[in-house]
Every structure is written in structure tokens, then in C-alpha cells.
Amino acid sequence: TPPEAIRNFCIIAHIDHGKSTLADRMLQMTGVVDDRAMRAQYLDRMDIERERGITIKSQAVRMPWELEGAPVVLNMIDTPGHVDFTYEVSRSLAACEGAVLLVDAAQGIEAQTLANLYLAMENELTVIPVLNKIDLPAAQPEKYAEELAGLIGCEPDDCFRVSGKTGVGVEPLLDAIVRQVPAPTGDADAPARAMIFDSVYDTYRGVVTYVRVVDGNLNPRERIVMMSTKATHELLEIGVISPEPVPGKGLGVGEVGYLITGVKDVRQSRVGDTVTNLAKPASAPLGGYRDPKPMVFSGLFPLDGSDYPDLREALDKLKLNDAALVYEPETSVALGFGFRCGFLGLLHLEIVRERLEREFGLELISTQPNVVYDVTMDDGTEIVVTNPSEFPGGKVAEVREPKVRATILAPSEYIGAIMELCQGKRGTLLGMDYLSAERVEMRYTLPLAEVVFDFFDQLKSRTRGYASLDYEPDGDQVADLVKVDILLQGETVDAFSAIVHKDKAYGYGVMMAGKLKELIPRQQFEVPIQAAVGARVIARENIRAIRKDVLAKCYGGDISRKRKLLEKQKAGKKRMKNIGSVEVPPEAFIAALTSD
Ligand code: GDP
Ligand code: MG
């Protein structure tokens, strides 16, 4: 297809504003999926995506369309909407010339509407504003058209009004995409350069890589080079998705499609990387490549220790499809053998855990998530801490923690509640803007550690669910952090150690000690629970011993026999204490590690 007849666009929106549903209608109206084969959220292929109703991996589909008798090819890229996957969204955007910015006409602009709009503007995309769900009785398209127009600097009448559910307004929108989105431009005679915007592992075919060709062309049987790693591969198959893979004779300037090289691991075909031709390589890659960087770490342990090899195998398999997942073996005194895993964020963690449990039948315990700390010792040694138990005990000069720039959108009546929450989470207000009389945008820097803990839940409950949040990494900062250890009978239980701000150490200690007192059953002997910072105990609780009623059996008067029994029992308790073997049921660990 000549570039003039191609339009590459994506649909961007806050989560649940209806991207996938609108994509469904477009697939139907362009005849790519017929009515019989249609099912909701057609492009969300993973089970978890379908059940949670969220899009995790981007997908790209080629759709034929016609404007005033002239055929065009529309390449639609459906993007994930959650903050954890911002990098994937940004790569999808870089593969397009235009973006349909979708806003729920009953909700208005939300935090990720803004985040996505800014990404689209950074990528210099033509933005088409669209109000969706106009079939809803609660829809207020006029009101939100004002808001949206004010935001992007157009007239309220320029905002399209559609319903992805009923299909109203979708045809005019497809026409507008052809009219407004620029055709791709590129140098057809230059060495090939194609950007990878997605990469998925398929059990039967190996890695399927989604690319957008910028310059030149890629053809079957050629040898290609991944520019970031210099790895070369043979192009076994190249084609387009419509809506299933259709092998073809190659991809030219502006085209979007997939390629297969037989590699088995998505790390060999990284999102953001540039593909070129071995015989005639490009001199410079396309910009924007970034290594996926895990932001949140957690230990994953099998509930049943004998499942450890299965867990390793499952992680090895998941990794094939998830370039951002990292892990290494970890041994915990309390939980046995497991893995220390790194994730993009909390949703990513939840998804990986859920897939391990669902697809591989594993029962897992995960430890409290933590961020990565950079510790500088007095002697200048630098230590990267991804596990609280590695936090050094010696002379620490400085601890640095990651921070984020957060954007919160909410009705203005909640400003006070949000400020209070952010202050409690060590946030600094950067600025505040009114989007309309009753809607405000607040910008904060916050420590990532505070955001990943329970920030979102608290934000939602303090604003009755009306606030939305988006955040992006924003470097790091020096902070006054300490490690709190939890000791049972004087022994540190590594799974419960946490790195917290000095002012919160006491609160964490009291909370954990209290929880464990409730959760650990009484033993034959007394079990002291302590929370400590270094050698200093900051909180303590006691689990009282079960006092066996040894005297009940001796009726009658023999006092010397009673005394003997009492002494025997005491000795027994002493021996147990010396061993220090507190029996903690696994449920107690799970319950203690789950925040409530
Ligand atoms: P996404 O997260 O942006 O991909 O949103 P989805 O397409 O998964 O839609 C989120 C929810 O909104 C689903 O329950 C959809 O059925 C519903 N929805 C999407 N579009 C419309 C619409 O035009 N009208 C109505 N009434 N509901 C819609
Ligand atoms: Mg979706």
C-alpha cells in the first residue's frame, strides 16, 4: 500500500472510558470481524484481560476503509491504559500519526486522559477529541465538550460524539480519521528502519514482534538486525494482522504489521528497539528506546516448599512474554526458598502473581512490596537494596529513594482531603489548576514507596471514588529511612522487615507486632514479639504460653508429686525457649503480609 493511503492511529483514554469497546465497533464496521465472530473486547486476548476488563498488551489491526470512493488502510493500535504500562503506551503512540482521545461523556477528563494526551503531544500526533458513551442517560456531552475543547485548544463542536456500545457516530469518526490524520512519510529508498512497539510470545510460533516501518522496507527471508543488541535473525515470516495474522510479501514505509524470526524470548525483540536490514543497515536507530526498569520488588514463595522447582519453571515461561519481569532466587528464614521479583508496578505484580496461580496452579505467598533504595555507606561504598533484609546495618551516610510526579484529578470539594492524604505520605504540592469550576488538577511529588503502599485505595476512599491518579518516575531523593525488623523470640523474621521513614517506624512496629500477636497461636511457651530498629526495640507484645493443666491429673494430697510435675513442666518450657522454635502457621504469614 502506498503511504498516501495509510492512516496509523491509536485510541487513548483513561481506563474504562471505552477504548476496547470502540475498537470492537471499528472492527465490525470495517468488516474485519463479522457479526457472528464478534465478542466483546475482541482484542483483549489474554484471559486476565478479559476477566478484569483491562488491556495489558497492545494490539494492532489493519482495517480497510473507503472515503469518497478512495480505498484506505487504517492501522488501529489499541493501547493499555494503566500507569504501570505507560512505556508500552508511549511506544504504541510513536507508531502512529494520530490519536483518538476518548473521554467518557458521563465522567469527563481523568488523570490518564491528561497523561495520554501529553504523551500524544510529545509524539506530535494529531489528536481527535471524542466523547464516548453518549447513549448513557448520565452523559453530559455538552459540558465535557467544553472541558475537552479547553484542554486541547479547539472548539467544543470539534469534539466527536459517539457510543462504542451502540455504534452511533463511529462511521463519521472513521471518515474523520482519514481526513485529519496525516499519512505517514518516510524514505522508501533509505536503509530499513522499523520500530518495535510490541512483542509477544506464542507457544507455537515463538516471539511475534509488532513493528511500524518508518523508512525502507522489510521482506521475507532477509536477515535483520536488532539495533540495541546487534543480534541478527532471519525473517521467517512477515505480515499484517486483520484480525488474525496474514503472512505477506513484506512491509513498506508507514506500514504496520508483525514479524517472526524464531526467537523464543521477548527480550531478544525489545519494545522500543529499531529493526534494520543486515545487508544494508541504517546508521542510527529511531529514538526513544528505553530498557524496562522494575520499580517494585516483592518476594514470591510457594506455600508448599516442594513447589519451588515448578515456580522456577513458571517464571521462566512467563518471562518469555514479559520483558519487564526480573527475578532471582531468594531464601527466607520464615518462608523457605522462593524468588525476589521485580515489577513495573503493583498492577504488574498482581497480574504476574495471578497468572502464576491460575495458569500454573501454584499457591503463593508474596511479601510486602518495596521499592529500590540506593545506600551510600560512610566509606563511600554504594549498595543497591531491592530487599529490606539486605539493608546494611553499618554506618550509613545516605539513603536515596525513588520519587514520582503524580497528577491527581478530582472534584474541587476534595482538595482538603487530598492535601491531607498527600502530606501524610510525605508529598510536596507542585501546583494546582482548575479544569472547570468544580474540577481540579493537583500535581505532587511523592516518594514511590508511599504511592505503592496503599495510596490509591486511600485516595479513592477519601474522594468517594471520584479522584483519579497518574504518576511517572521523577528521579530520587535523600530520605531519612530506617529498617524495622520484627523478632519472634529474639530471632528476626526476615519476611517482615521493612524500610520505612524514621517517623513511621514506630507505627509500623506497633502495627506488625499487634497483628502477629493476633495471628500466631499460643505455644507451650511464652513468645515475645519485638519490633526493632537496629538494636533498639521500639514495640513489643507477648504471646502468653498455654499453661497445661498438669495438676488436674493428680487428685489427692501428694504435694511432692505436684511439685515435681510443675518443675518438669518448667524445664520443658525452658528447653523449648532455648530452641526458639515458634510454630507459625503459613496462614499467619499470609495474613500478616496482606495490608488491610
Ligand atoms: P477500556 O478500559 O477503555 O478499554 O474500556 P472498555 O471498552 O473495556 O469499556 C469499559 C466499560 O464501559 C465496559 O463495561 C463497557 O461495556 C462500557 N462501555 C464502553 N463503551 C460504552 C458506550 O458507548 N456506552 C455504554 N453505555 N457503555 C460503554
Ligand atoms: Mg481495554
Side-chain angles (χ1 to χ4, degrees):
T1 314
E4 305 79 64
I6 298 175
R7 298 294 182 275
N8 297 322
F9 73 99
C10 54
I11 307 177
I12 52 179
H14 190 73
I15 192 152
D16 279 345
H17 281 203
K19 288 181 306 286
S20 303
T21 308
L22 178 64
D24 286 351
R25 286 298 82 66
M26 291 183 168
L27 292 178
Q28 240 171 343
M29 284 180 183
T30 56
V32 167
V33 177
D34 69 26
D35 296 351
R36 260 179 310 124
M38 195 66 217
R39 53 167 205 255
Q41 281 98 36
Y42 190 88
L43 298 175
D44 293 346
R45 290 171 209 238
M46 272 159 65
D47 280 350
I48 294 185
E49 290 183 314
R50 301 186 67 76
E51 274 166 36
R52 293 186 170 225
I54 54 171
T55 308
I56 298 165
K57 301 295 286 187
S58 314
Q59 297 284 356
V61 187
R62 179 181 174 114
M63 308 182 293
W65 191 243
E66 228 173 59
L67 182 69
E68 288 151 7
V72 273
V73 164
L74 298 176
N75 290 309
M76 170 173 67
I77 295 173
D78 189 20
T79 56
H82 190 275
V83 283
D84 283 5
F85 305 101
T86 301
Y87 179 65
E88 294 204 5
V89 178
S90 83
R91 292 306 84 198
S92 304
L93 296 193
C96 303
E97 277 77 27
V100 169
L101 179 66
L102 206 60
V103 173
D104 185 327
Q107 302 284 333
I109 293 164
E110 300 280 7
Q112 283 143 48
T113 316
L114 289 186
N116 282 315
L117 172 64
Y118 298 151
L119 282 179
M121 284 165 33
E122 274 166 32
N123 283 289
E124 294 172 4
L125 305 193
T126 299
V127 174
I128 303 181
V130 178
L131 291 159
N132 188 30
K133 308 197 188 181
I134 56 163
D135 61 296
L136 285 175
Q140 294 177 279
E142 299 319 311
K143 175 178 167 191
Y144 292 124
E146 291 273 346
E147 244 184 55
L148 192 50
L151 181 67
I152 62 176
C154 63
E155 293 301 316
D157 280 345
D158 296 336
C159 298
F160 284 77
R161 289 154 172 78
V162 309
S163 165
K165 189 172 176 188
T166 65
V168 167
V170 178
E171 275 196 37
L173 177 59
L174 286 167
D175 289 344
I177 291 168
V178 183
R179 287 206 181 91
Q180 295 183 21
V181 175
T185 53
D187 185 348
D189 302 319
R193 289 200 299 177
M195 194 203 47
I196 301 178
F197 63 88
D198 201 2
S199 177
V200 274
Y201 175 76
D202 179 295
T203 324
Y204 302 105
R205 328 192 69 195
V207 173
V208 180
T209 301
Y210 293 85
V211 295
R212 144 81 198 251
V213 177
V214 175
D215 293 321
N217 49 67
L218 294 173
N219 302 296
R221 297 287 144 199
E222 282 172 357
R223 287 199 74 80
I224 54 166
V225 186
M226 303 293 176
M227 293 187 79
S228 79
T229 58
K230 312 265 186 299
T232 71
H233 305 284
E234 187 183 348
L235 260 188
L236 301 179
E237 184 179 319
I238 183 163
V240 299
I241 308 282
S242 192
E244 303 302 331
V246 185
K249 296 205 184 74
L251 295 174
V253 170
E255 287 193 294
V256 173
Y258 71 95
L259 51 90
I260 290 174
T261 60
V263 302
K264 287 283 181 220
D265 180 342
V266 290
R267 271 155 235 247
Q268 293 166 287
S269 206
R270 293 169 179 249
V271 170
D273 202 356
T274 302
V275 180
T276 191
N277 213 302
L278 181 63
K280 190 182 161 194
S283 52
L286 300 160
Y289 174 71
R290 206 168 78 193
D291 263 329
K293 189 172 167 230
M295 303 291 285
V296 173
F297 283 77
S298 166
L300 288 182
F301 295 86
L303 200 53
D304 176 351
S306 65
D307 282 345
Y308 176 77
D310 294 347
L311 176 57
R312 172 189 293 277
E313 208 183 302
L315 283 167
D316 286 346
K317 278 199 181 130
L318 275 193
K319 184 180 76 169
L320 295 176
N321 211 356
D322 190 342
L325 173 66
V326 298
Y327 53 89
E328 56 180 46
E330 176 185 8
T331 319
S332 156
V333 177
L335 303 174
F337 292 106
F339 291 91
R340 190 86 202 150
C341 306
F343 306 94
L344 294 172
L346 281 192
L347 181 73
H348 187 209
L349 187 166
E350 263 181 59
I351 288 167
V352 168
R353 193 187 153 157
E354 199 172 316
R355 291 187 66 184
L356 289 169
E357 298 197 314
R358 182 200 304 244
E359 293 169 29
F360 301 92
L362 293 162
E363 281 188 290
L364 301 171
I365 301 178
S366 54
T367 61
Q368 196 65 256
N370 62 269
V371 301
V372 182
Y373 299 96
D374 291 318
V375 180
T376 310
M377 306 300 287
D378 272 351
D379 65 4
T381 326
E382 304 265 346
I383 303 170
V384 177
V385 175
T386 57
N387 188 339
S389 64
E390 294 163 357
F391 196 81
K395 293 230 176 342
V396 171
E398 182 180 280
V399 186
R400 305 186 71 83
E401 63 173 348
K403 59 187 171 111
V404 297
R405 239 183 101 94
T407 306
I408 300 168
L409 257 71
S412 41
E413 61 193 283
Y414 297 113
I415 290 177
I418 293 169
M419 284 184 152
E420 196 183 272
L421 170 66
C422 291
Q423 242 148 42
K425 298 286 189 184
R426 302 191 280 133
T428 310
L429 182 65
L430 296 174
M432 197 160 95
D433 284 308
Y434 282 86
L435 294 173
S436 66
E438 67 266 24
R439 219 163 158 69
V440 65
E441 174 193 348
M442 301 168 81
R443 291 179 301 279
Y444 271 92
T445 51
L446 285 153
L448 177 63
E450 301 281 352
V451 176
V452 298
F453 198 60
D454 60 353
F455 185 81
F456 190 58
D457 292 342
Q458 284 205 34
L459 180 67
K460 283 286 183 192
S461 75
R462 285 176 192 226
T463 60
R464 295 165 183 267
Y466 282 117
S468 57
L469 166 74
D470 193 85
Y471 58 84
E472 57 181 9
D474 187 32
D476 62 4
Q477 65 185 16
V478 176
D480 211 345
L481 301 165
V482 293
K483 180 173 68 149
V484 181
D485 289 318
I486 305 294
L487 296 84
L488 277 187
Q489 266 203 327
E491 286 199 21
T492 305
V493 187
D494 49 6
F496 295 136
S497 295
I499 297 167
V500 295
H501 191 261
K502 211 179 77 202
D503 296 345
K504 295 186 174 181
Y506 176 72
Y508 178 79
V510 169
M511 189 261 301
M512 277 316 263
K515 256 190 180 177
L516 289 174
K517 186 185 177 185
E518 294 304 313
L519 292 166
I520 297 174
R522 289 170 70 182
Q523 319 267 319
Q524 299 291 349
F525 46 89
E526 190 175 278
V527 180
I529 307 171
Q530 296 165 311
V533 173
R536 192 164 51 90
V537 174
I538 55 171
R540 81 172 73 227
E541 294 278 359
N542 246 323
I543 302 173
R544 289 190 12 244
I546 307 170
R547 195 184 154 87
K548 256 201 254 153
D549 201 359
V550 286
L551 301 184
K553 282 192 206 107
C554 10
Y555 356 87
D558 188 355
I559 186 80
S560 68
R561 188 160 167 240
K562 279 187 190 170
R563 194 169 294 132
K564 252 189 218 154
L565 271 169
L566 276 176
E567 261 156 25
K568 220 167 120 191
Q569 194 194 10
K570 224 167 124 194
K573 274 203 282 189
K574 219 178 191 170
R575 202 176 61 232
M576 294 282 254
K577 261 187 193 163
N578 286 347
I579 295 165
S581 59
V582 183
E583 280 172 22
V584 184
E587 305 87 72
F589 278 120
I590 301 173
L593 289 167
T594 318
S595 59
D596 31 30

